[in-house]
Amino acid sequence: MLTKSSSLMRLVGELKKLPGVGERTALRLAFHLLKSPGNLTALSEALVDVKEKVRACSTCFAITENDPCAICSGNRDAAAVCVVENSQDLMSLERSNAWHGVYHVLEGAISPLSGIGPSSIRIAELLARVEAGGVSEVVIATNFTVEGEATALYLTKVLKPTGVKVTRLAHGIPLGSDIEFVDAATVQWALQGRNEL
Amino acid sequence: MLTKSSSLMRLVGELKKLPGVGERTALRLAFHLLKSPGNLTALSEALVDVKEKVRACSTCFAITENDPCAICSGNRDAAAVCVVENSQDLMSLERSNAWHGVYHVLEGAISPLSGIGPSSIRIAELLARVEAGGVSEVVIATNFTVEGEATALYLTKVLKPTGVKVTRLAHGIPLGSDIEFVDAATVQWALQGRNEL
């Protein structure tokens, strides 16, 4: 019988640390892996691989295997910098195929309640990039949450004096949504930002 | 930017193979692990550990780290053998604290539709254990599903001629459910109310 100290229980314990995984799910995943030793080995190797290879790009701080990352070293418009909170947001923007500039990953957002101030995230590095010259526009693509908006406000304040053009992702009604069910604030933004057809 | 061939995408691919984990969840888990390198290493090590250490007990075929397992080598009534489909079911029975005998893990159930016959699961090994003597009762604790019931029926047929007492878990467990997910109290009632077949 497996005791609490056994390797399987240790694996269950590690799986339980993952977001959204409880005791039952962890046990189910562990037994699933136990039944397919190939997958178990592959997962273990993939984890080691990620730990060894994945790092942050020294220019934009996006996660990458090669430094500078494929975007920074690629054929992109380095004069336009899109500022995002994390690499997941970067991936979402990349999926849209609508951005041809480069990025800057803040690795967080200003959140005084959580003790995250401007110095805790990579704002100084962004300022240094802008002050080094060659950047004509900074698009702020932080989330439309309290923290994201606070970060956008702070960024505008510190970037404006450098003379760079600072823009923000448009507010509006998401594609495919019913105006009836869109919140009032979003409708207000959509009306204020209406475009001529 | 991360390309499809990168180690992170490989990890996402491996995580997607887990039951109930889709593309989005896999990406979320991968980023979670990336942010906590300690957990990443621990999970990877736990996986390797499980692969190296966990095996089947040569007596009862339960998963174990030491052969014979703690139940087979422990202070348990070796004359009473509880037959289960898999180690998860065994763990559920152990959680009920109502069984003081030993186990026999079939590693499956008879399922003609899936091509699993009596010879595909560990029935011969159970018969050998019974025929070797020293077993006075076999409690059939296969699931109350079509496959589990068919297995119970087959086991009764082959075990009866050996003269051993054959019993079945009581119908306190709702028909069609999996023993792995039944609460401990119900399992306890089912053990106490076992009937001779």
Side-chain angles (χ1 to χ4, degrees), chain A residues 1-2 6-7 9-10 14 17 19 31-32 34 40-42 44 47-51 63 65 70-71 91, chain B residues 1-2 6-7 9-10 14 31-32 34 40-42 44 47-51 63 65 69 71 88 91:
Chain A
M1 179 51 195
L2 283 150
S6 77
S7 56
M9 283 308 145
R10 190 176 142 214
E14 287 305 324
K17 290 182 190 165
F31 272 105
H32 173 90
L34 208 59
L40 195 149
T41 310
S44 165
L47 285 162
V48 171
D49 217 35
V50 157
K51 210 201 162 207
I63 53 166
E65 286 189 18
I71 293 178
M91 286 168 89
Chain B
M1 181 50 194
L2 285 151
S6 78
S7 56
M9 283 307 144
R10 191 177 141 213
E14 288 304 324
F31 272 107
H32 174 90
L34 208 59
L40 194 149
T41 310
S44 164
L47 286 162
V48 172
D49 218 34
V50 157
K51 208 198 165 209
I63 53 165
E65 286 189 17
C69 71
I71 293 178
Q88 287 106 301
M91 287 168 88

mmCIF file of all heavy atoms in Angstrom, chain A residues 1-2 6-7 9-10 14 17 19 31-32 34 40-42 44 47-51 63 65 70-71 91, chain B residues 1-2 6-7 9-10 14 31-32 34 40-42 44 47-51 63 65 69 71 88 91:
data_model
loop_
_atom_site.group_PDB
_atom_site.id
_atom_site.type_symbol
_atom_site.label_atom_id
_atom_site.label_comp_id
_atom_site.label_asym_id
_atom_site.label_seq_id
_atom_site.Cartn_x
_atom_site.Cartn_y
_atom_site.Cartn_z
ATOM 1 N N MET A 1 0.845 -1.199 0.000
ATOM 2 C CA MET A 1 0.000 0.000 0.000
ATOM 3 C C MET A 1 0.875 1.243 0.000
ATOM 4 O O MET A 1 1.943 1.268 0.589
ATOM 5 C CB MET A 1 -0.895 -0.027 1.249
ATOM 6 C CG MET A 1 -1.813 1.177 1.383
ATOM 7 S SD MET A 1 -2.758 1.499 -0.110
ATOM 8 C CE MET A 1 -3.313 3.158 0.270
ATOM 9 N N LEU A 2 0.412 2.259 -0.664
ATOM 10 C CA LEU A 2 1.184 3.489 -0.727
ATOM 11 C C LEU A 2 0.957 4.314 0.528
ATOM 12 O O LEU A 2 -0.171 4.602 0.895
ATOM 13 C CB LEU A 2 0.746 4.280 -1.954
ATOM 14 C CG LEU A 2 1.313 3.714 -3.246
ATOM 15 C CD1 LEU A 2 0.376 3.986 -4.370
ATOM 16 C CD2 LEU A 2 2.666 4.285 -3.510
ATOM 17 N N SER A 6 5.264 8.112 0.064
ATOM 18 C CA SER A 6 5.699 7.467 -1.168
ATOM 19 C C SER A 6 5.844 8.453 -2.315
ATOM 20 O O SER A 6 5.323 9.564 -2.284
ATOM 21 C CB SER A 6 4.721 6.382 -1.567
ATOM 22 O OG SER A 6 3.587 6.973 -2.133
ATOM 23 N N SER A 7 6.550 8.004 -3.330
ATOM 24 C CA SER A 7 6.818 8.869 -4.470
ATOM 25 C C SER A 7 5.533 9.261 -5.202
ATOM 26 O O SER A 7 5.419 10.366 -5.717
ATOM 27 C CB SER A 7 7.787 8.182 -5.425
ATOM 28 O OG SER A 7 7.275 6.934 -5.826
ATOM 29 N N MET A 9 2.572 9.758 -3.805
ATOM 30 C CA MET A 9 1.941 10.808 -3.027
ATOM 31 C C MET A 9 2.688 12.130 -3.182
ATOM 32 O O MET A 9 2.099 13.193 -3.133
ATOM 33 C CB MET A 9 1.853 10.399 -1.552
ATOM 34 C CG MET A 9 0.741 9.403 -1.292
ATOM 35 S SD MET A 9 -0.842 9.995 -1.960
ATOM 36 C CE MET A 9 -1.598 8.478 -2.509
ATOM 37 N N ARG A 10 4.011 12.018 -3.382
ATOM 38 C CA ARG A 10 4.813 13.220 -3.613
ATOM 39 C C ARG A 10 4.409 13.841 -4.954
ATOM 40 O O ARG A 10 4.259 15.067 -5.067
ATOM 41 C CB ARG A 10 6.300 12.832 -3.622
ATOM 42 C CG ARG A 10 7.224 14.034 -3.612
ATOM 43 C CD ARG A 10 8.685 13.589 -3.515
ATOM 44 N NE ARG A 10 9.507 14.454 -4.340
ATOM 45 C CZ ARG A 10 10.583 14.065 -5.009
ATOM 46 N NH1 ARG A 10 10.977 12.801 -4.956
ATOM 47 N NH2 ARG A 10 11.266 14.907 -5.737
ATOM 48 N N GLU A 14 2.768 17.482 -5.709
ATOM 49 C CA GLU A 14 3.291 18.472 -6.663
ATOM 50 C C GLU A 14 2.205 18.894 -7.651
ATOM 51 O O GLU A 14 2.104 20.058 -8.007
ATOM 52 C CB GLU A 14 4.506 17.903 -7.405
ATOM 53 C CG GLU A 14 5.772 17.795 -6.555
ATOM 54 C CD GLU A 14 6.173 19.115 -5.919
ATOM 55 O OE1 GLU A 14 6.000 20.167 -6.553
ATOM 56 O OE2 GLU A 14 6.643 19.087 -4.755
ATOM 57 N N LYS A 17 -0.266 21.483 -6.519
ATOM 58 C CA LYS A 17 0.176 22.880 -6.470
ATOM 59 C C LYS A 17 -0.213 23.641 -7.738
ATOM 60 O O LYS A 17 -0.125 24.862 -7.780
ATOM 61 C CB LYS A 17 1.699 22.940 -6.301
ATOM 62 C CG LYS A 17 2.175 22.482 -4.925
ATOM 63 C CD LYS A 17 3.676 22.618 -4.812
ATOM 64 C CE LYS A 17 4.200 21.947 -3.556
ATOM 65 N NZ LYS A 17 5.670 21.766 -3.636
ATOM 66 N N PRO A 19 -2.548 25.345 -10.563
ATOM 67 C CA PRO A 19 -3.826 26.053 -10.414
ATOM 68 C C PRO A 19 -4.997 25.206 -10.903
ATOM 69 O O PRO A 19 -4.925 24.607 -11.972
ATOM 70 C CB PRO A 19 -3.636 27.309 -11.272
ATOM 71 C CG PRO A 19 -2.535 26.982 -12.220
ATOM 72 C CD PRO A 19 -1.651 26.006 -11.519
ATOM 73 N N PHE A 31 -2.327 8.763 -11.633
ATOM 74 C CA PHE A 31 -2.590 7.401 -12.105
ATOM 75 C C PHE A 31 -2.566 7.323 -13.620
ATOM 76 O O PHE A 31 -2.117 6.337 -14.197
ATOM 77 C CB PHE A 31 -3.924 6.881 -11.554
ATOM 78 C CG PHE A 31 -3.781 6.221 -10.215
ATOM 79 C CD1 PHE A 31 -4.194 6.854 -9.051
ATOM 80 C CD2 PHE A 31 -3.181 4.972 -10.105
ATOM 81 C CE1 PHE A 31 -4.037 6.245 -7.805
ATOM 82 C CE2 PHE A 31 -3.023 4.354 -8.870
ATOM 83 C CZ PHE A 31 -3.456 4.994 -7.721
ATOM 84 N N HIS A 32 -3.046 8.397 -14.259
ATOM 85 C CA HIS A 32 -3.011 8.436 -15.721
ATOM 86 C C HIS A 32 -1.559 8.350 -16.203
ATOM 87 O O HIS A 32 -1.247 7.597 -17.125
ATOM 88 C CB HIS A 32 -3.666 9.725 -16.221
ATOM 89 C CG HIS A 32 -3.543 9.931 -17.694
ATOM 90 N ND1 HIS A 32 -4.479 9.461 -18.593
ATOM 91 C CD2 HIS A 32 -2.580 10.527 -18.441
ATOM 92 C CE1 HIS A 32 -4.093 9.766 -19.821
ATOM 93 N NE2 HIS A 32 -2.945 10.415 -19.751
ATOM 94 N N LEU A 34 0.971 7.182 -14.526
ATOM 95 C CA LEU A 34 1.532 5.894 -14.125
ATOM 96 C C LEU A 34 1.209 4.814 -15.162
ATOM 97 O O LEU A 34 1.999 3.902 -15.388
ATOM 98 C CB LEU A 34 0.927 5.505 -12.773
ATOM 99 C CG LEU A 34 1.764 4.613 -11.870
ATOM 100 C CD1 LEU A 34 3.086 5.281 -11.566
ATOM 101 C CD2 LEU A 34 1.019 4.347 -10.577
ATOM 102 N N LEU A 40 4.800 9.952 -19.057
ATOM 103 C CA LEU A 40 5.406 10.364 -17.800
ATOM 104 C C LEU A 40 6.834 10.852 -18.043
ATOM 105 O O LEU A 40 7.213 11.940 -17.614
ATOM 106 C CB LEU A 40 5.400 9.167 -16.839
ATOM 107 C CG LEU A 40 5.660 9.429 -15.369
ATOM 108 C CD1 LEU A 40 4.903 8.416 -14.520
ATOM 109 C CD2 LEU A 40 7.111 9.357 -15.039
ATOM 110 N N THR A 41 7.594 10.049 -18.776
ATOM 111 C CA THR A 41 8.977 10.420 -19.088
ATOM 112 C C THR A 41 9.009 11.700 -19.915
ATOM 113 O O THR A 41 9.795 12.610 -19.640
ATOM 114 C CB THR A 41 9.659 9.279 -19.868
ATOM 115 O OG1 THR A 41 9.438 8.065 -19.159
ATOM 116 C CG2 THR A 41 11.138 9.530 -20.016
ATOM 117 N N ALA A 42 8.131 11.769 -20.913
ATOM 118 C CA ALA A 42 8.126 12.932 -21.811
ATOM 119 C C ALA A 42 7.797 14.205 -21.038
ATOM 120 O O ALA A 42 8.420 15.251 -21.261
ATOM 121 C CB ALA A 42 7.105 12.713 -22.927
ATOM 122 N N SER A 44 8.251 14.733 -17.793
ATOM 123 C CA SER A 44 9.393 15.030 -16.927
ATOM 124 C C SER A 44 10.511 15.699 -17.715
ATOM 125 O O SER A 44 11.103 16.687 -17.280
ATOM 126 C CB SER A 44 9.876 13.730 -16.285
ATOM 127 O OG SER A 44 11.138 13.908 -15.740
ATOM 128 N N LEU A 47 9.672 19.276 -18.700
ATOM 129 C CA LEU A 47 9.817 20.194 -17.570
ATOM 130 C C LEU A 47 11.278 20.601 -17.388
ATOM 131 O O LEU A 47 11.592 21.778 -17.225
ATOM 132 C CB LEU A 47 9.300 19.527 -16.286
ATOM 133 C CG LEU A 47 7.779 19.419 -16.154
ATOM 134 C CD1 LEU A 47 7.410 18.392 -15.100
ATOM 135 C CD2 LEU A 47 7.169 20.760 -15.797
ATOM 136 N N VAL A 48 12.175 19.607 -17.452
ATOM 137 C CA VAL A 48 13.611 19.884 -17.309
ATOM 138 C C VAL A 48 14.064 20.810 -18.438
ATOM 139 O O VAL A 48 14.792 21.779 -18.223
ATOM 140 C CB VAL A 48 14.423 18.565 -17.328
ATOM 141 C CG1 VAL A 48 15.907 18.850 -17.398
ATOM 142 C CG2 VAL A 48 14.091 17.727 -16.102
ATOM 143 N N ASP A 49 13.572 20.497 -19.637
ATOM 144 C CA ASP A 49 13.920 21.255 -20.831
ATOM 145 C C ASP A 49 13.523 22.721 -20.703
ATOM 146 O O ASP A 49 14.306 23.622 -20.995
ATOM 147 C CB ASP A 49 13.185 20.620 -22.019
ATOM 148 C CG ASP A 49 14.025 20.639 -23.272
ATOM 149 O OD1 ASP A 49 15.248 20.482 -23.140
ATOM 150 O OD2 ASP A 49 13.455 20.823 -24.354
ATOM 151 N N VAL A 50 12.288 22.928 -20.235
ATOM 152 C CA VAL A 50 11.779 24.288 -20.058
ATOM 153 C C VAL A 50 12.647 25.039 -19.055
ATOM 154 O O VAL A 50 13.027 26.183 -19.264
ATOM 155 C CB VAL A 50 10.304 24.260 -19.584
ATOM 156 C CG1 VAL A 50 9.930 25.550 -18.877
ATOM 157 C CG2 VAL A 50 9.374 24.039 -20.765
ATOM 158 N N LYS A 51 12.979 24.342 -17.968
ATOM 159 C CA LYS A 51 13.766 24.996 -16.923
ATOM 160 C C LYS A 51 15.148 25.384 -17.436
ATOM 161 O O LYS A 51 15.680 26.433 -17.104
ATOM 162 C CB LYS A 51 13.900 24.052 -15.726
ATOM 163 C CG LYS A 51 14.016 24.835 -14.442
ATOM 164 C CD LYS A 51 14.621 24.049 -13.332
ATOM 165 C CE LYS A 51 15.099 25.002 -12.253
ATOM 166 N NZ LYS A 51 16.196 24.420 -11.498
ATOM 167 N N ILE A 63 9.429 35.721 -22.629
ATOM 168 C CA ILE A 63 10.095 34.444 -22.455
ATOM 169 C C ILE A 63 10.569 33.955 -23.824
ATOM 170 O O ILE A 63 9.881 34.122 -24.828
ATOM 171 C CB ILE A 63 9.200 33.385 -21.780
ATOM 172 C CG1 ILE A 63 7.867 33.255 -22.517
ATOM 173 C CG2 ILE A 63 8.974 33.699 -20.319
ATOM 174 C CD1 ILE A 63 7.121 32.008 -22.112
ATOM 175 N N GLU A 65 13.834 31.242 -25.887
ATOM 176 C CA GLU A 65 14.920 30.276 -25.750
ATOM 177 C C GLU A 65 16.230 30.879 -26.225
ATOM 178 O O GLU A 65 17.301 30.472 -25.790
ATOM 179 C CB GLU A 65 14.610 29.001 -26.531
ATOM 180 C CG GLU A 65 13.555 28.173 -25.840
ATOM 181 C CD GLU A 65 13.377 26.804 -26.469
ATOM 182 O OE1 GLU A 65 14.262 26.344 -27.198
ATOM 183 O OE2 GLU A 65 12.322 26.198 -26.216
ATOM 184 N N ALA A 70 13.022 36.019 -30.857
ATOM 185 C CA ALA A 70 12.748 36.021 -32.292
ATOM 186 C C ALA A 70 12.087 37.315 -32.745
ATOM 187 O O ALA A 70 12.289 37.754 -33.892
ATOM 188 C CB ALA A 70 11.865 34.829 -32.655
ATOM 189 N N ILE A 71 11.324 37.964 -31.880
ATOM 190 C CA ILE A 71 10.660 39.218 -32.255
ATOM 191 C C ILE A 71 11.675 40.354 -32.278
ATOM 192 O O ILE A 71 11.755 41.113 -33.239
ATOM 193 C CB ILE A 71 9.487 39.534 -31.301
ATOM 194 C CG1 ILE A 71 8.377 38.495 -31.475
ATOM 195 C CG2 ILE A 71 8.948 40.945 -31.539
ATOM 196 C CD1 ILE A 71 7.194 38.665 -30.562
ATOM 197 N N MET A 91 1.463 36.784 -26.286
ATOM 198 C CA MET A 91 1.054 35.708 -27.191
ATOM 199 C C MET A 91 -0.328 35.969 -27.779
ATOM 200 O O MET A 91 -0.604 35.632 -28.926
ATOM 201 C CB MET A 91 1.091 34.369 -26.460
ATOM 202 C CG MET A 91 2.511 33.884 -26.235
ATOM 203 S SD MET A 91 2.603 32.511 -25.080
ATOM 204 C CE MET A 91 2.404 31.128 -26.177
ATOM 205 N N MET B 1 10.090 35.565 -29.485
ATOM 206 C CA MET B 1 8.786 34.894 -29.450
ATOM 207 C C MET B 1 8.960 33.376 -29.489
ATOM 208 O O MET B 1 9.881 32.852 -30.104
ATOM 209 C CB MET B 1 7.967 35.375 -30.660
ATOM 210 C CG MET B 1 6.584 34.791 -30.751
ATOM 211 S SD MET B 1 5.657 34.915 -29.203
ATOM 212 C CE MET B 1 4.331 33.804 -29.557
ATOM 213 N N LEU B 2 8.068 32.697 -28.794
ATOM 214 C CA LEU B 2 8.152 31.244 -28.752
ATOM 215 C C LEU B 2 7.540 30.630 -29.988
ATOM 216 O O LEU B 2 6.400 30.906 -30.337
ATOM 217 C CB LEU B 2 7.416 30.735 -27.514
ATOM 218 C CG LEU B 2 8.185 30.968 -26.226
ATOM 219 C CD1 LEU B 2 7.236 31.121 -25.073
ATOM 220 C CD2 LEU B 2 9.137 29.843 -25.983
ATOM 221 N N SER B 6 9.451 25.180 -29.640
ATOM 222 C CA SER B 6 10.163 25.509 -28.411
ATOM 223 C C SER B 6 9.839 24.546 -27.284
ATOM 224 O O SER B 6 8.858 23.819 -27.312
ATOM 225 C CB SER B 6 9.835 26.922 -27.982
ATOM 226 O OG SER B 6 8.578 26.929 -27.371
ATOM 227 N N SER B 7 10.683 24.566 -26.262
ATOM 228 C CA SER B 7 10.508 23.669 -25.127
ATOM 229 C C SER B 7 9.214 23.952 -24.382
ATOM 230 O O SER B 7 8.573 23.047 -23.857
ATOM 231 C CB SER B 7 11.708 23.780 -24.196
ATOM 232 O OG SER B 7 11.895 25.110 -23.790
ATOM 233 N N MET B 9 6.379 24.978 -25.701
ATOM 234 C CA MET B 9 5.286 24.381 -26.471
ATOM 235 C C MET B 9 5.293 22.862 -26.334
ATOM 236 O O MET B 9 4.248 22.222 -26.363
ATOM 237 C CB MET B 9 5.389 24.801 -27.952
ATOM 238 C CG MET B 9 4.912 26.218 -28.189
ATOM 239 S SD MET B 9 3.239 26.485 -27.506
ATOM 240 C CE MET B 9 3.352 28.167 -26.937
ATOM 241 N N ARG B 10 6.494 22.307 -26.160
ATOM 242 C CA ARG B 10 6.609 20.860 -25.946
ATOM 243 C C ARG B 10 5.966 20.513 -24.600
ATOM 244 O O ARG B 10 5.232 19.531 -24.494
ATOM 245 C CB ARG B 10 8.086 20.463 -25.959
ATOM 246 C CG ARG B 10 8.297 18.971 -26.004
ATOM 247 C CD ARG B 10 9.771 18.637 -26.097
ATOM 248 N NE ARG B 10 10.068 17.478 -25.289
ATOM 249 C CZ ARG B 10 11.222 17.270 -24.647
ATOM 250 N NH1 ARG B 10 12.183 18.174 -24.718
ATOM 251 N NH2 ARG B 10 11.396 16.193 -23.941
ATOM 252 N N GLU B 14 2.765 18.148 -23.802
ATOM 253 C CA GLU B 14 2.742 17.025 -22.853
ATOM 254 C C GLU B 14 1.608 17.187 -21.840
ATOM 255 O O GLU B 14 0.942 16.219 -21.485
ATOM 256 C CB GLU B 14 4.093 16.909 -22.124
ATOM 257 C CG GLU B 14 5.228 16.380 -22.992
ATOM 258 C CD GLU B 14 4.906 15.034 -23.614
ATOM 259 O OE1 GLU B 14 4.248 14.214 -22.974
ATOM 260 O OE2 GLU B 14 5.304 14.810 -24.783
ATOM 261 N N PHE B 31 2.725 28.197 -17.789
ATOM 262 C CA PHE B 31 3.173 29.513 -17.329
ATOM 263 C C PHE B 31 3.262 29.556 -15.804
ATOM 264 O O PHE B 31 4.155 30.186 -15.246
ATOM 265 C CB PHE B 31 2.254 30.624 -17.854
ATOM 266 C CG PHE B 31 2.678 31.138 -19.191
ATOM 267 C CD1 PHE B 31 1.967 30.824 -20.341
ATOM 268 C CD2 PHE B 31 3.809 31.937 -19.308
ATOM 269 C CE1 PHE B 31 2.364 31.283 -21.580
ATOM 270 C CE2 PHE B 31 4.215 32.404 -20.549
ATOM 271 C CZ PHE B 31 3.490 32.087 -21.689
ATOM 272 N N HIS B 32 2.337 28.860 -15.149
ATOM 273 C CA HIS B 32 2.381 28.784 -13.690
ATOM 274 C C HIS B 32 3.695 28.136 -13.246
ATOM 275 O O HIS B 32 4.367 28.629 -12.337
ATOM 276 C CB HIS B 32 1.181 27.989 -13.169
ATOM 277 C CG HIS B 32 1.222 27.737 -11.688
ATOM 278 N ND1 HIS B 32 0.664 28.590 -10.782
ATOM 279 C CD2 HIS B 32 1.790 26.740 -10.965
ATOM 280 C CE1 HIS B 32 0.882 28.135 -9.555
ATOM 281 N NE2 HIS B 32 1.548 27.002 -9.640
ATOM 282 N N LEU B 34 6.442 27.903 -14.978
ATOM 283 C CA LEU B 34 7.557 28.752 -15.392
ATOM 284 C C LEU B 34 7.826 29.832 -14.350
ATOM 285 O O LEU B 34 8.968 30.242 -14.140
ATOM 286 C CB LEU B 34 7.191 29.400 -16.728
ATOM 287 C CG LEU B 34 8.331 29.764 -17.655
ATOM 288 C CD1 LEU B 34 9.138 28.538 -18.002
ATOM 289 C CD2 LEU B 34 7.782 30.385 -18.922
ATOM 290 N N LEU B 40 8.512 23.579 -10.509
ATOM 291 C CA LEU B 40 8.803 22.928 -11.788
ATOM 292 C C LEU B 40 9.808 21.801 -11.570
ATOM 293 O O LEU B 40 9.588 20.664 -12.005
ATOM 294 C CB LEU B 40 9.355 23.979 -12.750
ATOM 295 C CG LEU B 40 9.431 23.638 -14.225
ATOM 296 C CD1 LEU B 40 9.246 24.897 -15.060
ATOM 297 C CD2 LEU B 40 10.736 22.994 -14.589
ATOM 298 N N THR B 41 10.880 22.108 -10.857
ATOM 299 C CA THR B 41 11.906 21.103 -10.572
ATOM 300 C C THR B 41 11.326 19.966 -9.737
ATOM 301 O O THR B 41 11.555 18.788 -10.027
ATOM 302 C CB THR B 41 13.084 21.750 -9.815
ATOM 303 O OG1 THR B 41 13.474 22.925 -10.528
ATOM 304 C CG2 THR B 41 14.260 20.814 -9.701
ATOM 305 N N ALA B 42 10.549 20.336 -8.713
ATOM 306 C CA ALA B 42 9.979 19.333 -7.816
ATOM 307 C C ALA B 42 9.051 18.388 -8.578
ATOM 308 O O ALA B 42 9.076 17.170 -8.362
ATOM 309 C CB ALA B 42 9.219 20.022 -6.691
ATOM 310 N N SER B 44 9.110 17.723 -11.826
ATOM 311 C CA SER B 44 9.939 16.910 -12.717
ATOM 312 C C SER B 44 10.602 15.770 -11.956
ATOM 313 O O SER B 44 10.615 14.622 -12.401
ATOM 314 C CB SER B 44 10.983 17.813 -13.372
ATOM 315 O OG SER B 44 12.003 17.046 -13.931
ATOM 316 N N LEU B 47 8.138 13.082 -10.914
ATOM 317 C CA LEU B 47 7.784 12.217 -12.047
ATOM 318 C C LEU B 47 8.843 11.135 -12.243
ATOM 319 O O LEU B 47 8.524 9.960 -12.419
ATOM 320 C CB LEU B 47 7.632 13.054 -13.322
ATOM 321 C CG LEU B 47 6.368 13.912 -13.421
ATOM 322 C CD1 LEU B 47 6.533 14.997 -14.457
ATOM 323 C CD2 LEU B 47 5.160 13.050 -13.756
ATOM 324 N N VAL B 48 10.103 11.553 -12.220
ATOM 325 C CA VAL B 48 11.209 10.602 -12.388
ATOM 326 C C VAL B 48 11.178 9.570 -11.258
ATOM 327 O O VAL B 48 11.323 8.367 -11.489
ATOM 328 C CB VAL B 48 12.567 11.351 -12.410
ATOM 329 C CG1 VAL B 48 13.728 10.365 -12.377
ATOM 330 C CG2 VAL B 48 12.665 12.244 -13.643
ATOM 331 N N ASP B 49 10.945 10.090 -10.059
ATOM 332 C CA ASP B 49 10.890 9.258 -8.863
ATOM 333 C C ASP B 49 9.809 8.182 -8.976
ATOM 334 O O ASP B 49 10.050 7.009 -8.683
ATOM 335 C CB ASP B 49 10.572 10.171 -7.670
ATOM 336 C CG ASP B 49 11.344 9.749 -6.437
ATOM 337 O OD1 ASP B 49 12.480 9.284 -6.603
ATOM 338 O OD2 ASP B 49 10.806 9.891 -5.333
ATOM 339 N N VAL B 50 8.630 8.596 -9.406
ATOM 340 C CA VAL B 50 7.509 7.662 -9.562
ATOM 341 C C VAL B 50 7.871 6.582 -10.566
ATOM 342 O O VAL B 50 7.648 5.396 -10.344
ATOM 343 C CB VAL B 50 6.232 8.413 -10.006
ATOM 344 C CG1 VAL B 50 5.257 7.474 -10.694
ATOM 345 C CG2 VAL B 50 5.562 9.057 -8.800
ATOM 346 N N LYS B 51 8.481 7.026 -11.674
ATOM 347 C CA LYS B 51 8.826 6.072 -12.719
ATOM 348 C C LYS B 51 9.846 5.050 -12.221
ATOM 349 O O LYS B 51 9.770 3.872 -12.548
ATOM 350 C CB LYS B 51 9.374 6.810 -13.936
ATOM 351 C CG LYS B 51 9.112 6.024 -15.202
ATOM 352 C CD LYS B 51 9.962 6.454 -16.346
ATOM 353 C CE LYS B 51 9.901 5.400 -17.423
ATOM 354 N NZ LYS B 51 11.129 5.368 -18.209
ATOM 355 N N ILE B 63 -0.009 -1.138 -6.686
ATOM 356 C CA ILE B 63 1.200 -0.358 -6.924
ATOM 357 C C ILE B 63 1.879 -0.145 -5.585
ATOM 358 O O ILE B 63 1.229 0.078 -4.567
ATOM 359 C CB ILE B 63 0.908 0.982 -7.630
ATOM 360 C CG1 ILE B 63 -0.144 1.780 -6.885
ATOM 361 C CG2 ILE B 63 0.506 0.755 -9.064
ATOM 362 C CD1 ILE B 63 -0.205 3.206 -7.325
ATOM 363 N N GLU B 65 6.101 0.655 -3.643
ATOM 364 C CA GLU B 65 7.521 0.969 -3.825
ATOM 365 C C GLU B 65 8.389 -0.199 -3.350
ATOM 366 O O GLU B 65 9.511 -0.362 -3.786
ATOM 367 C CB GLU B 65 7.890 2.233 -3.054
ATOM 368 C CG GLU B 65 7.351 3.474 -3.737
ATOM 369 C CD GLU B 65 7.881 4.755 -3.138
ATOM 370 O OE1 GLU B 65 8.877 4.729 -2.422
ATOM 371 O OE2 GLU B 65 7.261 5.786 -3.405
ATOM 372 N N CYS B 69 4.201 -5.465 -0.976
ATOM 373 C CA CYS B 69 3.716 -4.170 -0.522
ATOM 374 C C CYS B 69 3.449 -4.167 0.986
ATOM 375 O O CYS B 69 3.422 -5.216 1.626
ATOM 376 C CB CYS B 69 2.459 -3.778 -1.284
ATOM 377 S SG CYS B 69 1.011 -4.750 -0.844
ATOM 378 N N ILE B 71 0.811 -3.787 2.628
ATOM 379 C CA ILE B 71 -0.372 -4.535 3.055
ATOM 380 C C ILE B 71 -0.063 -6.023 3.114
ATOM 381 O O ILE B 71 -0.344 -6.695 4.108
ATOM 382 C CB ILE B 71 -1.580 -4.250 2.127
ATOM 383 C CG1 ILE B 71 -2.016 -2.784 2.290
ATOM 384 C CG2 ILE B 71 -2.739 -5.201 2.422
ATOM 385 C CD1 ILE B 71 -3.159 -2.360 1.412
ATOM 386 N N GLN B 88 -6.567 2.347 -7.580
ATOM 387 C CA GLN B 88 -7.378 3.462 -7.100
ATOM 388 C C GLN B 88 -8.515 2.941 -6.228
ATOM 389 O O GLN B 88 -8.828 3.511 -5.184
ATOM 390 C CB GLN B 88 -7.985 4.254 -8.264
ATOM 391 C CG GLN B 88 -6.972 5.109 -9.015
ATOM 392 C CD GLN B 88 -6.641 4.510 -10.357
ATOM 393 O OE1 GLN B 88 -6.156 3.367 -10.426
ATOM 394 N NE2 GLN B 88 -6.871 5.249 -11.418
ATOM 395 N N MET B 91 -7.249 1.975 -2.891
ATOM 396 C CA MET B 91 -7.044 3.134 -2.029
ATOM 397 C C MET B 91 -8.367 3.617 -1.432
ATOM 398 O O MET B 91 -8.417 4.059 -0.278
ATOM 399 C CB MET B 91 -6.362 4.253 -2.813
ATOM 400 C CG MET B 91 -4.895 3.957 -3.081
ATOM 401 S SD MET B 91 -4.160 5.067 -4.289
ATOM 402 C CE MET B 91 -3.623 6.382 -3.222
#
